Amino acid sequence: MLDQVTKVHDETRQGEAYGPEATETQTYTKKFYIESYGCQMNFNDSEIVASILKEDGFGPTRNVEDASLILLNTCSIREKAEVTVRKRLTEFRKLKQRNPELLVGVLGCMAERLKSKLIEEEKLVDMVVGPDAYRTLPALIEEAETGQKTVNVLLSREETYGDINPVRLDTNGVTAFVSIMRGCNNMCSFCVVPFTRGRERSRDMDSIIKEATDMFNRGYREVTLLGQNVDSYYWVSEDITVTFANLLEKVAQISPLLRVRFSTSHPKDITDEVLFVIAKYENICNYIHLPVQSGSTRILQLMNRTYTREWYMKKIERIREILPDCALSTDVITGFCTETEEDHQETLSMMDYVKYDLAYMFFYSERPGTLAARRYQDDIPEDVKRRRLAEVVELHRGHSLLSMQKDVGKTFKVLVEGTSKRSEEHLFGRTDQNKVVIFPKEDHKKGEYVWVKVEDCTAGTLLGISTGKA
């Protein structure tokens, strides 16, 4: 269907296999191979799984031939991800035939949605483990080693893995993700997340601050606070009540050299208090992902988004009033049940009104288990969905190019994330508005802040020259 919640499906990372940390010196007799699909929450969960397995004597490998345990951390939000995972499982069948002791497990949302059906349908799967059951992996592995098929997809009201320090695998050493909550209470009719990840559970603030501080002390210079709906973060301990605005401020106070981002916000929950905290701290990035999904109030009601077109527009006005330079991104679904041409035109006009800097756009496909699948008929022909999506994409491309062109001639503080993929002589980083900048390497290094003057652009990248260290 789409990647609603905890966004961002980085298509370049889908199926990415994690390798050991560059500083890893320990050798392991047992090795695991893990691929991740879906949103950033899944990639963060894979780091948690790696930490649990490391404690159990397993080391990560990028060579699937070396592994005694293969894990696929899956997504159920988009049909394409499930199809990809099933295809990948068939590719592992030959490995299993050559090595009958090899264990294969499916983790994550697809595991939660399909449960034991995965073992029945995919004959080579030994373990099916839901997002709340990763602590039980060592016991499940031990049981699977005896030839038993194992399933644990119990959802928890408390589980947040707050006490587990994730193993950072294959990161750039500069940016990292910190999970602050799990689950979702927003029953958007198109979304399966509440059924695969359960209800909202906020992680205790102290463990979040400890993890973010540890990342900074190890040289990381940017953290993204992750949650299905970060604005509903709420933690109570004794006489202390912590909202997302409070947490955001605490993380920003770790160091002015630590950039802070967050994802994802629900329009109904982001508060003025959060906006004022962003405005107060230079190291909290001026970037908000605010999914609109549709510009039609009627469709928004069918989606159970709990806001109207006009309400969303006023929220945009408020953001721009408090944060004039804030970049905005969104999610858009075309062809939802009963969507008319008039509804579609309202989505296009909403995009014209906001002019998003970045957008994640999909056409609707029904996902089993969602409220929409039970309540509505998926009645828009696929060719109509695709045509409407193409119109949305084309409109956004114009907005994106315009947004980039406005930055030409300006100078930005850029966090260097690494060497450009296209040229060893260039570095890349991002502005705090989340725009990628490419510039000559000179004597700059990864993890530094650099002032970059933008001289040119494409629809997706700023091109500039360094004017000195920041």
Side-chain angles (χ1 to χ4, degrees):
M1 179 189 65
L2 58 151
D3 67 332
Q4 155 65 16
V5 207
T6 321
K7 309 296 108 68
V8 167
H9 273 65
D10 183 346
E11 297 301 336
T12 64
R13 296 193 69 190
Q14 298 305 299
E16 180 178 276
Y18 281 162
E21 289 186 287
T23 56
E24 181 65 72
T25 57
Q26 186 175 346
T27 57
Y28 298 88
T29 56
K30 300 184 294 182
K31 293 186 177 180
F32 71 91
Y33 173 92
I34 184 168
E35 287 181 0
S36 303
Y37 296 86
C39 65
Q40 188 54 54
M41 183 69 82
N42 270 17
F43 286 84
N44 185 252
D45 279 357
S46 290
E47 294 178 344
I48 290 169
V49 168
S51 181
I52 292 169
L53 291 176
K54 188 174 181 180
E55 289 293 316
D56 198 43
F58 283 85
T61 179
R62 264 219 170 110
N63 185 356
V64 69
E65 302 274 353
D66 292 343
S68 56
L69 171 65
I70 295 175
L71 300 171
L72 295 182
N73 194 354
T74 63
C75 172
S76 247
I77 304 303
R78 294 163 65 184
E79 185 176 11
K80 178 183 175 183
E82 286 198 11
V83 171
T84 301
V85 167
R86 287 188 185 274
K87 182 174 182 292
R88 196 72 176 114
L89 285 170
T90 64
E91 294 168 0
F92 293 144
R93 196 175 301 278
K94 291 180 181 178
L95 293 175
K96 186 93 164 176
Q97 289 169 348
R98 290 202 298 268
N99 178 14
E101 294 184 357
L102 173 68
L103 298 180
V104 177
V106 177
L107 314 179
C109 294
M110 185 175 169
E112 184 66 46
R113 190 177 77 78
L114 296 178
K115 303 179 175 62
S116 59
K117 282 182 65 179
L118 266 173
I119 287 178
E120 298 163 8
E121 295 169 359
E122 305 290 346
K123 302 300 182 185
L124 81 163
V125 174
D126 301 290
M127 297 179 295
V128 177
V129 189
D132 284 359
Y134 297 146
R135 289 181 197 272
T136 66
L137 266 169
L140 295 175
I141 292 168
E142 186 176 344
E143 188 175 349
E145 286 173 339
T146 69
Q148 297 295 313
K149 303 292 186 179
T150 59
V151 179
N152 188 347
V153 290
L154 293 176
L155 289 173
S156 165
R157 288 188 176 273
E158 291 79 32
E159 185 58 86
T160 62
Y161 303 112
D163 59 328
I164 295 176
N165 191 24
V167 176
R168 305 297 170 179
L169 299 173
D170 191 44
T171 71
N172 59 15
V174 178
T175 64
F177 294 84
V178 176
S179 177
I180 67 169
M181 62 189 301
R182 300 178 73 83
C184 185
N185 289 349
N186 297 312
M187 301 298 289
C188 300
S189 63
F190 53 77
C191 186
V192 74
V193 165
F195 307 104
T196 59
R197 287 189 174 268
R199 307 300 294 218
E200 289 175 359
R201 298 88 81 199
S202 294
R203 178 179 169 186
D204 76 88
M205 181 189 68
D206 295 336
S207 72
I208 295 170
I209 300 301
K210 180 181 178 182
E211 183 178 340
T213 302
D214 176 64
M215 300 308 301
F216 178 76
N217 291 337
R218 290 168 57 193
Y220 288 82
R221 289 298 174 262
E222 179 179 295
V223 294
T224 299
L225 306 180
L226 277 184
Q228 312 298 112
N229 179 19
V230 292
D231 297 289
S232 60
Y233 175 88
Y234 188 80
W235 181 68
V236 179
S237 176
E238 298 175 353
D239 58 343
I240 301 175
T241 298
V242 182
T243 65
F244 180 61
N246 303 145
L247 176 66
L248 192 58
E249 184 163 32
K250 289 285 187 182
V251 176
Q253 289 172 345
I254 290 171
S255 170
L257 293 177
L258 181 66
R259 265 189 179 175
V260 185
R261 299 185 187 275
F262 56 90
S263 183
T264 293
S265 292
H266 193 292
K268 72 177 176 59
D269 292 316
I270 190 167
T271 64
D272 280 8
E273 187 182 12
V274 169
L275 301 180
F276 284 124
V277 169
I278 297 172
K280 181 178 177 181
Y281 291 89
E282 187 268 340
N283 59 323
I284 302 179
C285 294
N286 270 348
Y287 174 80
I288 296 173
H289 187 74
L290 201 68
V292 66
Q293 308 300 3
S294 172
S296 162
T297 294
R298 187 183 73 85
I299 294 297
L300 289 171
Q301 289 175 340
L302 291 178
M303 290 177 167
N304 197 33
R305 290 293 287 173
T306 69
Y307 54 81
T308 64
R309 169 188 175 87
E310 292 74 22
W311 192 95
Y312 183 92
M313 293 169 78
K314 287 188 180 298
K315 180 63 70 174
I316 296 295
E317 290 173 9
R318 187 59 173 160
I319 291 172
R320 288 185 167 151
E321 179 184 340
I322 298 172
L323 301 167
D325 297 324
C326 187
L328 291 164
S329 63
T330 198
D331 293 347
V332 178
I333 307 169
T334 66
F336 189 70
C337 310
T338 77
E339 183 186 67
T340 65
E341 283 299 321
E342 183 180 357
D343 295 323
H344 173 58
Q345 290 300 319
E346 287 194 309
T347 295
L348 294 176
S349 69
M350 175 67 82
M351 295 185 72
D352 262 331
Y353 174 78
V354 181
K355 292 182 172 59
Y356 297 101
D357 299 272
L358 182 66
Y360 301 92
M361 301 155 286
F362 310 94
F363 67 78
Y364 175 72
S365 64
E366 185 177 272
R367 305 304 291 131
T370 61
L371 296 176
R374 296 201 295 269
R375 293 177 180 174
Y376 313 129
Q377 182 180 351
D378 183 7
D379 57 353
I380 308 301
E382 185 166 318
D383 62 331
V384 175
K385 292 179 182 179
R386 290 184 179 276
R387 189 259 302 165
R388 291 175 182 172
L389 176 60
E391 291 176 4
V392 166
V393 169
E394 185 63 25
L395 180 61
H396 172 63
R397 280 179 181 156
H399 295 158
S400 179
L401 179 59
L402 180 64
S403 173
M404 292 293 183
Q405 289 171 338
K406 286 180 179 179
D407 287 341
V408 174
K410 297 179 182 178
T411 299
F412 294 93
K413 186 178 181 180
V414 174
L415 175 60
V416 181
E417 295 185 27
T419 303
S420 169
K421 293 180 180 178
R422 295 188 177 182
S423 168
E424 287 291 324
E425 301 305 314
H426 289 74
L427 297 171
F428 83 95
R430 285 178 296 160
T431 68
D432 78 341
Q433 284 91 357
N434 209 30
K435 294 180 180 179
V436 173
V437 187
I438 305 294
F439 57 97
K441 184 173 289 186
E442 298 179 5
D443 63 342
H444 302 306
K445 297 179 179 62
K446 188 168 68 171
E448 291 181 344
Y449 288 100
V450 178
W451 290 110
V452 178
K453 183 177 181 181
V454 177
E455 295 188 321
D456 200 358
C457 71
T458 68
T461 307
L462 299 175
L463 310 171
I465 57 170
S466 165
T467 62
K469 297 186 189 301

